[in-house]
Amino acid sequence: MAKAFDFGVERLAGMGVGMGGGESETPEGTRPSSIEIAGMARSSASPLQGRVRTFFLETFGCQMNEHDSEKVAGVLLARGYRQVEKPEAASVVLYNTCSIREKAAQKVFSRLGEYRTTKKEGQIIGVLGCVAQQEGEEIFARAPWVSLVCGSASYRKLPQMIAQLEAGNTRVTGLDTDTDETFETEMTRRDNPWRAYLTIIEGCDKACSYCVVPFTRGPERSRGSESILREVKELADLGYTEVQLLGQTVNSYVDPTPASSGRKMRFSELLVAVAEVAGIRRVRFTTSHPRDFGSDIVQAIESLPAICNHVHLPVQSGSTAVLRAMQRTYTRDEYLEKIAMIRAAKRAISVTTDIIVGFPGETENDFADTLRLMEEVRYDGAFTFKYSPRPNTPSLKMADAIPEEEKSRRLAILMEKQRGIQAELNAARVGKRFELLVGGKSRRENQWSGHTTDHKVVNFTSRRQELLGDYVQVEVKSAGENSLVGEEVEGRLQSIVYS
Ligand code: SAM
Ligand code: SF4
């Protein structure tokens, strides 16, 4: 159960966070419309026959990718596979990939390159996720030792695809994006025994001009509220106390449950219903799109302490001109109105964001607007990125690209500003008490870490021996830019306090 102590979980700058993405290089129509045996040789006997079936799965990118991997692992375990820690010990090696920025995509190809000479006879190497969707069958040309390429919208077909490979086919692809299904599995192998991810909406119907996600994850598909609530109850029965609802634009959720059943829910109603499931103590949700963020969500947070008082609301830029070029569908002022609504809540709500610097045409004044917006909002955390041009996105063809050194300069200024804001906000918590869900244990004796409801990491000491998965009360003794340090205190909190 123990896991490494994750000091400094709050991240400041472009470090492979964000929701996974990718894009399609091959024009629609030239792609196989369903599982396709792209290759070629069929041998009469499976290379896997007679072997212990084992798999290795490595995940790149966001929480949605992590959760997809949990489901993929569930599918394979249900088929009798055993998960192993090292790729060389596996009969099937899978990489669940991210292509939201160029660097992330490059990392995948360098990982695949490691198999050029070391791939063993009969071993299956597969590429899943956004790079798979983006590159399609090109992957076979770039890395001929790969035998499975599957985008996230086709994961439901993974068992059949694996069966094809087990039957001796040498190359299989699943690259649909037009499916209206969500990826639900009979079994999900969850990595964390007390906090469960749950995807409630897949794909994205927005069209931000820099983003590959609509290409790689397909259109929005929401999962029925009845099925979501059924799973939450099962999770609670299994001992999970925290549920994190996931979606690229989680608050754009549209319940497909038939109205006749009388249970078609808005996103805010779903939040409340999940929070009311017996045994669930915390409900998180990410990522919220500003356009669809309404007062009903704030009211839901106000009404139930089990709904965590944290909103991740990516702004991307503080300049209305840049927001327009990004096709974000809101202005600076409209975004700030949403922030004012959150700040006016009866219960303090922490706010984090994503910001991109160096978007084509971003002037010094635009950048200064972003810095001013950060001062005004005073985010509890920010994931900051240099704009990365991605294939097939509208912004790729935009004029006035910003030179790489200038992007780096702006990113450094932005990060410095955010560090200062976080240091001040964290310092204001010293001497206050918080409830934590304990998620990490240090190798050093008596040292633990956990998250507050508003998603702050606190590293703390306790004389107790086994705390993982428990809720404890901690007093903050000191603060840094990225995390807080505290000590466990006796008793229960009167109320959750922080300023
Ligand atoms: N759907 C969420 C939203 O609209 O805010 C965000 C999901 S996105 C996959 C995660 C973050 O990656 C984005 O918020 C954005 O800041 C960043 N990102 C996406 N495309 C990018 C690009 N081409 N270059 C740099 N950062 C990018
Ligand atoms: Fe990408 Fe925009 Fe969709 Fe977010 S809302 S996933 S940034 S297209």
Side-chain angles (χ1 to χ4, degrees), residues 170-190:
T170 53
R171 284 179 179 172
V172 185
T173 57
L175 296 166
D176 279 354
T177 50
D178 56 357
T179 171
D180 55 4
E181 293 166 334
T182 51
F183 178 40
E184 290 174 45
T185 56
E186 278 170 26
M187 178 177 157
T188 299
R189 199 285 333 268
R190 288 192 158 83

Side-chain angles (χ1 to χ4, degrees), residues 17-21 62 99-102 204 206 208-213 247-250 287-290 312-316 328 330 353-357 359 383-390 393 395:
V17 283
M19 300 300 197
C62 62
S99 68
I100 196 84
R101 283 167 293 280
E102 197 184 351
C204 180
K206 311 283 186 293
C208 304
S209 59
Y210 52 81
C211 185
V212 292
V213 170
Q248 297 292 346
T249 52
V250 73
T287 293
S288 294
H289 191 284
H312 185 62
L313 199 68
V315 66
Q316 312 299 358
R328 282 294 286 181
Y330 52 85
T353 201
D354 295 348
I355 299 177
I356 298 174
V357 294
F359 190 77
F383 297 127
T384 53
F385 309 104
K386 288 193 275 185
Y387 167 71
S388 170
R390 305 307 292 127
T393 56
S395 63

